[in-house]
Amino acid sequence: MFAFPILVWINWSAALGDSLTLAEVQDGKLSRDQKWWRYLFLKSRLTEFCIVFSASICIAFKLIGPQILGANWSIIDNWDYFNWLGPDLNLPLSEVWHTLMTKTEVGSGVGRYRPSYYTLMVLETSLWGPNVHLWYLARTLEFGLFIASIWWIVSRFVGMWLSAVLLLPILAQPFWGDVWARLGPQEIYGCASVGLILFGAYGLFAGQSRGLRITGACVIALAGVILIGTKETFLPIAGLSIGLLFAAGSLRTIPRTLALCLMAIISAAGLAEFYIVQKIVLAAGADYNGNSIDLPLLISVGSEAFVHAIRIWGSVYLTVGLGCMFVLQRHGKDLRQWKLASLAAGLVFAFLVCLFVTQCVAYRTVAPTDMRYDFPRMLFDPLNYCLLARPIRESAAFGPD
């Protein structure tokens, strides 16, 4: 449903690009009829960033903002907050550590082990207290951060306006309502952490100063650790942090020593979380949702998910990749850039497939549930749209002979 308007935009913008280049727009070499086009191409990335970030916050307020004023505490919310606040409904920052160690699973060692989740929840309890409106304001801003991160990263490759179109299938996912309609879901911090990783990646690879690149690397590492300690199923997403830092170290974008240290921190957190969760699951004979951990069942679900992911998108990637190569060859272009781009796209696609399969195995189903458990696996299709948009657009820009 969403592919048709996306492809129309790609071909329309590419066709227009045949007669009007970005350089001409920025140099002001436009006819009277083309003057309007300059407003779609901005010279300043800072201006683009301000537009993207502001628009993303507005989108978040439009989609879930009304609950800021209309919400009230309800039975589906996490009532641990009031246990932490106490009878005077106040939790000083000085009491956060004591509360974390005495009133949550972090200190007791009972139940699931989610240190990042409970640390952030206790900190928010100290900041927002019993004011439910501040809680939902924070949630709306976190959603805006997530939207802006995807929009900004995709815009780096296909431009600000096409990336806005590519946001539509992401925002149309039915599970968002279950993520943001209450205060307890771990997916809230998952979304915010993914946003931090994407913005950190931009600073890491596109930053003009050494300080900005190092800051981006530290943000990526922090977000990776938060993901690991927020929910067990987010472990594969945290693997993206290690991959980005490894690439940055290999390219010497940041000092290799720093990259190795940050990767070691994330890996140590991941191994510790995996060990503790595995110990709890094996002792219980089932996972935290009561699902069987029978190996043949896990293999069966994983195989079904893998076939589901590869059956459609594998052939699409192969078709687009070979099609781009054919177009480039036909126009006498060097294929070295195509090879590098194909390798990068293949690695990203492999990561998306791995993420999809592991999430399906974690929830024992390939079918969507239209609930928060679909994050992030049901973003598989929309993210593939984003990944394929650039090669399709660049190939279409050559036009017919």
Side-chain angles (χ1 to χ4, degrees):
M1 180 177 66
F2 293 102
F4 179 73
I6 290 172
L7 292 176
V8 168
W9 176 276
I10 290 172
N11 285 278
W12 175 80
S13 59
L16 185 54
D18 288 338
S19 58
L20 184 63
T21 66
L22 179 58
E24 290 174 332
V25 174
Q26 294 181 337
D27 292 340
K29 299 177 181 179
L30 303 174
S31 68
R32 180 175 300 176
D33 293 335
Q34 294 174 331
K35 288 293 185 181
W36 64 273
W37 188 250
R38 65 183 177 185
Y39 297 108
L40 298 183
F41 290 101
L42 303 174
K43 297 180 181 180
S44 171
R45 287 293 288 174
L46 178 60
T47 304
E48 281 193 14
F49 177 79
C50 292
I51 292 175
V52 166
F53 199 84
S54 300
S56 299
I57 296 297
C58 291
I59 292 171
F61 270 86
K62 175 63 177 178
L63 295 177
I64 65 173
Q67 63 187 353
I68 296 174
L69 297 178
N72 205 340
W73 293 106
S74 67
I75 196 171
I76 64 172
D77 287 316
N78 191 337
W79 285 88
D80 285 337
Y81 310 134
F82 291 94
N83 180 38
W84 301 334
L85 287 169
D88 58 350
L89 298 180
N90 181 50
L91 177 62
L93 283 172
S94 59
E95 294 294 321
V96 166
W97 178 256
H98 176 75
T99 301
L100 183 67
M101 299 308 294
T102 59
K103 296 184 179 181
T104 72
E105 65 186 27
V106 177
S108 65
V110 177
R112 298 161 65 181
Y113 189 70
R114 296 165 292 174
S116 301
Y117 173 71
Y118 275 102
T119 299
L120 293 172
M121 292 292 280
V122 174
L123 278 172
E124 284 201 278
T125 302
S126 179
L127 292 173
W128 317 138
N131 191 328
V132 69
H133 307 296
L134 290 179
W135 281 92
Y136 278 102
L137 173 61
R139 298 296 177 260
T140 304
L141 295 176
E142 287 164 339
F143 192 27
L145 172 69
F146 174 78
I147 295 171
S149 67
I150 294 182
W151 190 351
W152 181 244
I153 291 297
V154 177
S155 73
R156 178 76 178 179
F157 301 99
V158 298
M160 183 172 65
W161 303 112
L162 175 55
S163 57
V165 177
L166 292 168
L167 274 178
L168 294 178
I170 294 176
L171 297 178
Q173 295 299 310
F175 63 77
W176 289 123
D178 194 42
V179 171
W180 303 106
R182 51 200 175 99
L183 299 179
Q186 300 97 311
E187 286 75 13
I188 291 170
Y189 295 132
C191 288
S193 297
V194 169
L196 290 176
I197 288 177
L198 294 179
F199 276 125
Y202 183 82
L204 178 60
F205 293 103
Q208 298 300 311
S209 67
R210 185 172 184 269
L212 182 57
R213 292 192 295 271
I214 290 177
T215 300
C218 293
V219 169
I220 289 172
L222 174 63
V225 172
I226 291 175
L227 281 169
I228 289 169
T230 295
K231 194 174 184 180
E232 303 86 342
T233 56
F234 292 162
L235 274 169
I237 312 178
L240 176 62
S241 301
I242 296 178
L244 291 171
L245 293 171
F246 177 80
S250 301
L251 297 172
R252 297 186 182 274
T253 302
I254 57 174
R256 287 187 175 180
T257 304
L258 175 62
L260 289 173
C261 289
L262 294 177
M263 289 167 60
I265 292 172
I266 300 172
S267 299
L271 290 173
E273 179 71 16
F274 180 79
Y275 172 77
I276 294 173
V277 170
Q278 182 191 44
K279 187 176 179 180
I280 294 173
V281 169
L282 292 177
D287 67 10
Y288 53 89
N289 288 322
N291 295 320
S292 171
I293 57 173
D294 184 53
L295 185 59
L297 173 62
L298 301 181
I299 294 176
S300 174
V301 175
S303 301
E304 182 184 356
F306 180 78
V307 171
H308 178 83
I310 295 296
R311 183 179 56 202
I312 297 177
W313 285 107
S315 58
V316 170
Y317 273 87
L318 185 61
T319 302
V320 171
L322 294 177
C324 291
M325 182 185 70
F326 174 76
V327 171
L328 292 173
Q329 282 183 325
R330 193 169 185 180
H331 289 82
K333 301 296 181 180
D334 190 353
L335 293 182
R336 282 178 295 182
Q337 191 66 29
W338 172 84
K339 293 177 182 177
L340 291 174
S342 297
L343 176 61
L347 291 174
V348 175
F349 178 62
F351 170 77
L352 292 177
V353 171
C354 179
L355 183 61
F356 179 77
V357 171
T358 55
Q359 299 295 299
C360 290
V361 171
Y363 295 113
R364 312 296 192 273
T365 180
V366 178
T369 64
D370 293 344
M371 300 175 67
R372 61 187 178 92
Y373 309 109
D374 287 342
F375 176 85
R377 65 190 180 101
M378 284 302 128
L379 294 179
F380 180 69
D381 287 349
L383 291 177
N384 278 303
Y385 291 146
C386 297
L387 190 57
L388 288 171
R390 183 181 176 100
I392 294 176
R393 186 182 188 278
E394 289 187 345
S395 298
F398 286 105
D401 288 337

